[in-house]
Amino acid sequence: MRVLGAVAIVACLAFGVIAFLAVQRLHSNVEDARRNAEQLVRIQSIRTNLVKADANATNAFLVGGLEPPAVRDAYTDGIATTARTLAEASGARTDDASALQRVNRVLTEYTGLIEAARANNRQGFPVGAAYLRQASTVLRDDALPALARLVTVEQRRVEKSIDAAASTRDALILLLVVAAAALLVAQVYLSKKTKRTFNKPLVYATAVVVASGLLGLLVVAWSTDEASDARDGPYRETVALATARIGGFDAKSAEALTLIARGSGAPFEARFQTTSQEASDALAAELSDASFTSVGGTRAAFTEYVAAHEALRSLDDGGKHDEAVAAATGDGPANRAFTEFERASSRALTSAASDLSDDLRTAATPLIVAAWLLLLAGLAAAVLAWRGISERLREYR
């Protein structure tokens, strides 16, 4: 009887302690998913602001001489935001800091080349275009690939953290079965040995274990579903919108470089076709979900821009270079269409990133309460099991 009682008590303690640790770990995983998702947004923001700044720099170059203040301000804002976000991202995850520091060094080199291009462009020197192309090449060869690798790493971290929920559910089920079985075996043995059908403390202990275990499973299942919904909803939307913005700004930069090249910009037009297609594909992949209305609105704006770009190319190919430049700058139709895409995608991305963080935080919140409840339930069941066994032992003495 003592051995059986000890087994029942240990089973209850193990149920409470291990369930507490398992649910705490799940809470940490969901929080990690939220932090990794926020880091992913930061890195995507760095990529976006880099190509946005480059798009504004190349677009300003088309005007010649002193660029429009609004375009210059947009370039300066993109560089400043990039530098600030680089510092935030480096502080948020120290294991990303080394790669981000390299990107920061490339940023310094890039801005130096842009300033050289601006200085020569203001004086009408053709070498300014060479500096501009070199700056764009440095950005795409040295900074963007490193950031793309970090994006892949953060996406894997988010997926891994959310997928860890299944192991917590399985551990809870196993613990519940073992603890309940130990208590039931103890009750059956005592019933046969003492000729008494029920041992109230053991019955209460069993009820506590089963009730808390089922409640814990419900909380874990709900939290897991919330985290999965966040991954299938705002997370996918965030990735799609960020990818589209990067491709869109890269396409805008390629558009300007094509016009700057004046008849020898075929490689840049090819880059436009590639990057614009990547942006369209990223948005089209999520349009099957009717809830992603912001993705649909962003794609419509980008489609309008691509159509305006085709009209611009017709002008340039038809020998109307000045009219094509006018269309790509200022209040020209292609520039207006791109500005609308920029605004729509920015609003949508801000909303999706906020929803993602909020949904993952909501999924994590009840897990703390559930973890402590399971621990207290295990301790209470162990005390009740001890009392139930002790009562029968006293009768034998």
Side-chain angles (χ1 to χ4, degrees), residues 61 65 67 113-125 127-128:
F61 204 87
E67 64 268 36
L113 290 167
I114 288 295
E115 290 309 309
R118 290 181 65 234
N120 282 278
N121 189 46
R122 283 198 302 270
Q123 299 176 64
F125 296 155
V127 73

Side-chain angles (χ1 to χ4, degrees), residues 337-352:
F338 186 82
T339 299
E340 180 55 35
F341 160 73
E342 179 183 357
R343 290 172 180 167
S345 61
S346 178
R347 289 192 301 266
L349 181 58
T350 300
S351 177

Side-chain angles (χ1 to χ4, degrees), residues 8-92:
I9 292 169
V10 169
C12 291
L13 289 173
F15 168 79
V17 173
I18 299 176
F20 171 79
L21 294 175
V23 177
Q24 278 278 58
R25 182 183 176 187
L26 175 59
H27 175 268
S28 296
N29 285 330
V30 176
E31 280 293 303
D32 284 344
R34 182 180 62 81
R35 286 189 289 268
N36 291 331
E38 290 175 350
Q39 181 73 344
L40 173 63
V41 171
R42 290 188 195 98
I43 294 172
Q44 291 285 49
S45 175
I46 293 168
R47 294 176 71 194
T48 303
N49 279 290
L50 280 175
V51 292
K52 177 181 178 181
D54 191 54
N56 281 300
T58 52
N59 197 251
F61 204 87
L62 276 174
V63 179
L66 191 63
E67 64 268 36
V71 179
R72 176 62 183 173
D73 289 345
Y75 164 79
T76 304
D77 179 67
I79 294 298
T81 303
T82 298
R84 183 172 61 251
T85 311
L86 275 168
E88 292 174 0
S90 296

Side-chain angles (χ1 to χ4, degrees), residues 45-367:
S45 175
I46 293 168
R47 294 176 71 194
T48 303
N49 279 290
L50 280 175
V51 292
K52 177 181 178 181
D54 191 54
N56 281 300
T58 52
N59 197 251
F61 204 87
L62 276 174
V63 179
L66 191 63
E67 64 268 36
V71 179
R72 176 62 183 173
D73 289 345
Y75 164 79
T76 304
D77 179 67
I79 294 298
T81 303
T82 298
R84 183 172 61 251
T85 311
L86 275 168
E88 292 174 0
S90 296
R93 285 199 70 98
T94 55
D95 45 354
D96 292 342
S98 178
L100 292 172
Q101 286 170 2
R102 289 195 296 272
V103 172
N104 195 45
R105 288 194 292 270
V106 174
L107 178 63
T108 302
E109 181 182 0
Y110 170 79
T111 53
L113 290 167
I114 288 295
E115 290 309 309
R118 290 181 65 234
N120 282 278
N121 189 46
R122 283 198 302 270
Q123 299 176 64
F125 296 155
V127 73
Y131 277 116
L132 184 69
R133 288 192 294 269
Q134 185 181 355
S136 186
T137 299
V138 164
L139 191 69
R140 279 157 183 79
D141 290 351
D142 299 336
L144 297 183
L147 291 169
R149 287 191 292 271
L150 282 178
V151 166
T152 301
V153 169
E154 295 302 334
Q155 287 177 329
R156 288 174 181 168
R157 286 170 178 162
V158 172
E159 295 286 342
K160 183 179 179 181
S161 297
I162 293 177
D163 289 341
S167 61
T168 302
R169 182 188 61 242
D170 296 342
L172 269 183
I173 293 173
L174 179 61
L175 289 167
L176 176 59
V177 170
V178 170
L183 290 168
L184 288 174
V185 168
Q187 289 178 76
V188 171
Y189 174 82
L190 289 177
S191 178
K192 291 181 178 179
K193 193 72 175 176
T194 63
K195 308 303 181 183
R196 297 183 184 181
T197 304
F198 296 109
N199 181 299
K200 288 185 178 180
L202 284 174
V203 171
Y204 295 152
T206 305
V208 167
V209 167
V210 172
S212 63
L214 291 176
L215 181 59
L217 282 171
L218 286 174
V219 172
V220 167
W222 179 86
S223 180
T224 302
D225 287 344
E226 286 292 301
S228 296
D229 288 345
R231 175 178 57 188
D232 295 338
Y235 172 73
R236 279 173 48 194
E237 192 172 3
T238 298
V239 171
L241 288 165
T243 302
R245 278 174 63 80
I246 291 165
F249 282 114
D250 204 0
K252 182 63 173 170
S253 175
E255 176 183 85
L257 287 170
T258 304
L259 292 172
I260 291 169
R262 279 183 168 269
S264 57
F268 300 115
E269 175 60 18
R271 194 178 91 192
F272 176 94
Q273 297 299 330
T274 299
T275 54
S276 63
Q277 189 61 51
E278 288 172 354
S280 295
D281 290 346
L283 296 171
E286 306 305 334
L287 281 179
S288 58
D289 192 325
S291 65
F292 292 169
T293 54
S294 60
V295 172
T298 300
R299 186 168 189 252
F302 189 70
T303 300
E304 183 177 347
Y305 164 64
V306 172
H309 170 81
E310 294 303 323
L312 176 156
R313 290 306 318 146
S314 295
L315 289 172
D316 192 37
D317 293 340
K320 300 178 180 179
H321 180 76
D322 290 342
E323 292 181 28
V325 170
T329 57
D331 198 37
N335 209 39
R336 281 201 314 272
F338 186 82
T339 299
E340 180 55 35
F341 160 73
E342 179 183 357
R343 290 172 180 167
S345 61
S346 178
R347 289 192 301 266
L349 181 58
T350 300
S351 177
S354 177
D355 289 345
L356 175 59
S357 182
D358 290 345
D359 288 355
L360 289 174
R361 184 179 288 107
T362 299
T365 300
L367 293 172

